[in-house]
Amino acid sequence: MEFKNLRAFLEVVRQGGFSQAAKKLYATQPTISKAVKQLEDEVGMVLLDRSGPKSRLTSAGEVVYQRALRMLAEREDLQAELDELRGLKRGSLQLGLPPIGSSTLYAPVFARYKKRYPGVDVRLVEQGSDRLQEMLQNGDIELGAILLPAPEPFETQMVCSEPLVAMLPVDHPRADQDSVSLDELKDTPFILFEASFSLNRILMSAARRRGFAPLVTARSSQIDFITELVAAGMGVSFLPRRMAEQRPHPRVARVLLDEPQTQWDMAMIWRRDAFLSPAARAWLAIVKEIHPLS
């Protein structure tokens, strides 16, 4: 059932005739007559009694008229809602961010996004990269921020690339160096993040390439707690340089990690076959504004 035929029918009823309806719709009278006839053929019943000076609704016409009013009103409401979504006056974004680095990298993005699109509801989850990939695959979130490399099914937009820094107790033998390799730290216990954090995988892979398996003395998802464990002399931990510089501690030395394939490469990712909503595309655009590396 075509909306243009319904609209022509409604206007004939409102205007009391075909010629008046044609003027209202800026169409010819034969065009309006054809549209109403097509509608009658489709429903298989006469909708207008054309015998008098004015067209009048038949019983079937009354039913179609009332339904058509609601259908066209619903269509207009639908169009209005879609226009609001396109204009980002409303909508929602399911977004996954990692606990590491979100305050530095994504808080400015979030603030600008909400200022520009206050009607969009951002539903945020915080998980490690591995869990965020699972949630993307399951359709639980639309965009996720993870450490590269990303698996094959995902598209990526680069956010930043940072070297890692070794966080050492100030009395550690390597604390005064400008840089340090993992080989020089193999006898120092490691303090790592929780198992779902991709940073662990980067470090453990690098250690295996060096031919050792580090002793892991503690795990946590809290950067400040890990920093305090380092300060207490429990071992070495690792952070992207930007995050490490934001957490100075009198009993913690920051030494650049000189180790191949341990760069902290952060990106926004999404499923390659997924439709990206206007809200998601707007988020990616603001990420690019704030982090031009992307």
Side-chain angles (χ1 to χ4, degrees), residues 146-149 158-162 202 262-267:
I146 72 159
L147 282 182
L148 296 178
M158 196 69 180
V159 176
C160 76
S161 183
E162 293 260 359
I202 292 173
T262 56
Q263 196 79 358
W264 192 73
D265 294 329
M266 177 63 68

Side-chain angles (χ1 to χ4, degrees), residues 189-221:
F190 279 24
I191 302 169
L192 297 180
F193 288 93
E194 296 290 355
S196 65
F197 287 60
S198 290
L199 184 56
N200 294 345
R201 187 166 59 247
I202 292 173
L203 291 166
M204 298 303 279
S205 295
R208 283 195 297 272
R209 289 193 296 272
R210 289 287 189 174
F212 74 97
L215 171 65
V216 178
T217 189
R219 293 179 184 270
S220 175
S221 60

Side-chain angles (χ1 to χ4, degrees), residues 137-186:
Q137 286 283 40
N138 295 335
D140 297 325
I141 56 176
E142 191 172 6
L143 293 173
I146 72 159
L147 282 182
L148 296 178
E152 185 64 26
F154 296 108
E155 296 285 354
T156 64
Q157 178 176 302
M158 196 69 180
V159 176
C160 76
S161 183
E162 293 260 359
L164 292 181
V165 165
M167 308 274 285
L168 293 164
V170 290
D171 58 355
H172 191 281
R174 308 292 181 181
D176 294 330
Q177 297 180 184
D178 293 329
S179 63
V180 65
S181 69
L182 280 183
D183 201 40
E184 295 175 287
L185 297 173
K186 62 183 179 182

Side-chain angles (χ1 to χ4, degrees), residues 9 13 45-48 57-66:
F9 170 67
V13 176
M45 301 179 77
V46 175
L47 304 178
L48 290 171
L57 287 170
T58 64
S59 297
E62 184 65 42
V63 172
V64 173
Y65 178 74
Q66 295 299 329

Side-chain angles (χ1 to χ4, degrees), residues 34-65:
K34 182 180 178 181
V36 174
K37 183 64 167 62
Q38 287 176 343
L39 182 60
E40 289 178 323
D41 290 343
E42 187 172 359
V43 300
M45 301 179 77
V46 175
L47 304 178
L48 290 171
D49 180 355
R50 301 165 175 81
S51 60
K54 277 192 170 186
S55 299
R56 293 179 301 170
L57 287 170
T58 64
S59 297
E62 184 65 42
V63 172
V64 173
Y65 178 74

Side-chain angles (χ1 to χ4, degrees), residues 96-97 125 127-147 149-151 153-154 195-198 201 269-271:
L97 298 180
V125 296
Q127 295 288 344
S129 291
D130 293 347
R131 176 61 183 143
L132 290 180
Q133 289 178 36
E134 292 177 11
M135 295 182 74
L136 280 165
Q137 286 283 40
N138 295 335
D140 297 325
I141 56 176
E142 191 172 6
L143 293 173
I146 72 159
L147 282 182
F154 296 108
S196 65
F197 287 60
S198 290
R201 187 166 59 247
I269 71 168
W270 59 95
R271 282 202 344 263

